[in-house]
């Protein structure tokens, strides 16, 4: 049972669905609480979501259960590094290398950790962090909040202090607090831009940003030269082993040269001899597997890959080498699947490779295999006649307001014919009636993708965006639809409704609760975030307050005008 849950977790991890992976690994841990591999895998999933605190807890449990397993220290080092504790990361990687000195993954991690330790002035921000997260770092934060009268009072509120400290620990957590009006005010103060508050009188003020002096880089002290060790007498057995390894490398080089010349038989002879001379290096096996793959001898390739994986685990070889062997095996299985029509084994093999090392090439091969399997299933299931019958059944149920039943028939119609834009449009209408707006939006976008001239796709998408109170996006959708059908009354009515709603927002004729909701959604929009953090646009907005003549010049720039309209439509800026 635990192996089934583990396999599901590995598959979800390989597909980038880390939350699902965590859930499956947790189920496996409940069934096998002493299996150190499960904690290691869950730690990797947590780290992929930048949840380094729980990743660290799982990594510690991994090494506690199996202190002799080098990979556990790789997880431990990665978690420490994600939390910004470079020194602890160095210690973890060094401990792992004591167990497995040849492990390339640990060596690379140690190099990164040491580099971070030398230049570190604080925690390493996670990749993909919010553009606003960085403004909460630095000693000037509290000084700014104390100096500004609009935020000074918040410093007496315990929950406010905890909120700021939470964002400082993990900048990505800012997204959890954007609906808090205090956070809107804080962002304005730290950007030197006061956000328009949801009150009767709504203004926008700007101040000159403070200049922060760059901190000098720490001077790295030169290390003292190490004493040269006395030469040692090498035993005869070790001398012979070294000679064999050197000869094996020569055979590998000769095999590589033959492979490049397409002289595959000669290449196989060289790689086979290298394997005989040195059984401590699995690269000779994987290279021979590559030759068999090129020759179309897929069964031989698979056997060599299995041998490389088995021997690699015995030798505690680098994870990347094992992943390479599994990827090569998966490639051979895909070749065989073109005749056997069985892609499942290849997909499972690629997933195993990704749990060893997340390589972009392997991920692409996995996606290609899954796509090929899906296309095969669709080809076998494709039937336009049955698709039309299912669509008509859905239409009849829609008229009877039986929307869940209608969705089932529309879905079956799409399985039978996935390229019918009308079915996506109809199912989007059902989802809208059911209040499942994200699903409806996805269907409307697919409808437009399949037929960009189909007006109904734009009316469906615009209506859903309007219901979601994303009036600026809805306006853009309706206007795009009018390019294809200029006289469509539904699209024209949609434009009119959006303009009226944006004008109401701009004039302050909506409730404070509605304004808060609109602003909170807008602040989650990456486009809005990038506009507000763009130094050029910040200067433009300052000119609107302090230099009207310069502001008029800015409006002549179509790109600037478009961004201003985005801010107005999102309820962030008011134009009077």
């Amino acid at each position: 049972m635990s192996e089934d849950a583990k396999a599901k977790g590995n598959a979800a991890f390989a597909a980038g669905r880390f939350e699902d992976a965590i859930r499956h690994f947790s189920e496996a841990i409940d069934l096998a609480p002493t299996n150190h591999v499960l904690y290691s895998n869950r730690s990797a999933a947590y780290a992929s979501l930048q949840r380094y605190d729980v990743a660290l807890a799982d990594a510690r449990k991994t090494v506690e259960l199996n202190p002799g397993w080098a990979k556990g220290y790789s997880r431990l080092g990665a978690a420490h590094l994600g939390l910004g504790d470079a020194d602890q990361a160095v210690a973890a990687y060094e401990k792992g290398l004591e167990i497995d000195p040849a492990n390339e993954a640990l060596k690379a991690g140690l190099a990164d950790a040491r580099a971070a330790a030398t230049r570190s002035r604080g925690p390493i921000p996670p990749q993909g962090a919010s553009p606003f997260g960085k403004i909460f770092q630095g000693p000037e934060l509290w000084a700014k909040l104390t100096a500004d009268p609009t935020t000074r009072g918040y410093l007496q509120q315990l929950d406010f202090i905890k909120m700021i400290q939470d964002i400082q620990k993990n900048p990505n957590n800012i997204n959890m607090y954007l609906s808090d009006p205090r956070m809107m005010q804080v962002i304005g103060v730290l950007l030197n831009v006061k956000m328009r508050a949801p009150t009767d009188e709504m203004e926008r003020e700007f101040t000159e940003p403070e200049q922060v002096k760059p901190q000098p880089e720490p001077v790295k002290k030169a290390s003292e030269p190490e004493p040269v060790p006395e030469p040692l007498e090498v035993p005869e057995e070790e001398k012979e082993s070294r000679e064999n390894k050197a000869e094996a490398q020569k055979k590998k080089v000769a095999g590589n040269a033959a492979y490049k010349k397409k002289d595959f038989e000669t290449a196989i002879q060289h790689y086979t001899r290298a394997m005989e001379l040195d059984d401590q290096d699995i690269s000779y096996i994987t290279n021979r597997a590559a030759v068999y793959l090129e020759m179309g001898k897929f069964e031989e390739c698979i056997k060599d890959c299995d041998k490389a994986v088995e021997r690699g685990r015995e030798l505690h070889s680098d994870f990347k080498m094992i992943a390479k062997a599994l990827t090569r095996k998966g490639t051979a299985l895909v070749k065989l699947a073109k005749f056997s029509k069985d892609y499942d084994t290849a997909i499972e093999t690629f997933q195993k490779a990704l749990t060893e090392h997340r390589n972009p090439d392997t991920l692409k091969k996995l996606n290609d295999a899954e796509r090929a399997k899906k296309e095969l299933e669709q080809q076998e299931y494709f039937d336009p006649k049955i698709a039309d019958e299912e669509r008509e059944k859905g239409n009849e149920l829609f008229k009877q307001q039986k929307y869940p039943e209608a969705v089932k028939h529309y879905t079956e119609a799409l399985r039978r014919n996935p390229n019918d834009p009308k079915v996506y449009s109809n199912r989007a209408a059902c989802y809208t009636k059911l209040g499942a707006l994200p699903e409806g939006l996805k269907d409307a976008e697919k409808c437009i993708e399949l037929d960009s001239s189909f007006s109904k796709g734009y009316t469906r998408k615009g209506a859903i965006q309007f219901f979601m109170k994303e009036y600026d996006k809805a306006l853009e959708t309706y206007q795009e639809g009018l390019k294809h059908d200029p006289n469509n009354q539904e699209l024209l009515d949609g434009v009119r409704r959006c303009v009226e709603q944006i004008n109401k927002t701009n004039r302050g004729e909506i409730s404070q609760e509605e304004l808060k909701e609109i602003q909170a959604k807008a602040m989650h929009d990456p486009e809005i975030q990038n506009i507000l953090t763009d130094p050029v646009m910040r200067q433009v907005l300052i000119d609107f307050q302090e230099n009207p003549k310069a502001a008029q010049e800015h409006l002549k720039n179509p790109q600037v005008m478009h961004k201003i309209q985005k801010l107005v439509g999102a309820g962030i800026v008011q134009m009077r």
Side-chain angles (χ1 to χ4, degrees), residues 540-554:
V540 169
L541 295 172
I542 291 173
D543 287 342
F544 266 92
Q545 295 291 320
E546 300 177 357
N547 191 344
K549 185 176 180 181
Q552 292 302 316
E553 288 297 320
H554 290 313

Side-chain angles (χ1 to χ4, degrees), residues 151-163:
T151 56
R152 186 181 303 132
Y154 298 158
L155 299 178
Q156 305 301 319
Q157 301 170 14
L158 183 60
D159 64 324
F160 175 80
I161 298 296
K162 290 182 178 179
M163 177 172 65

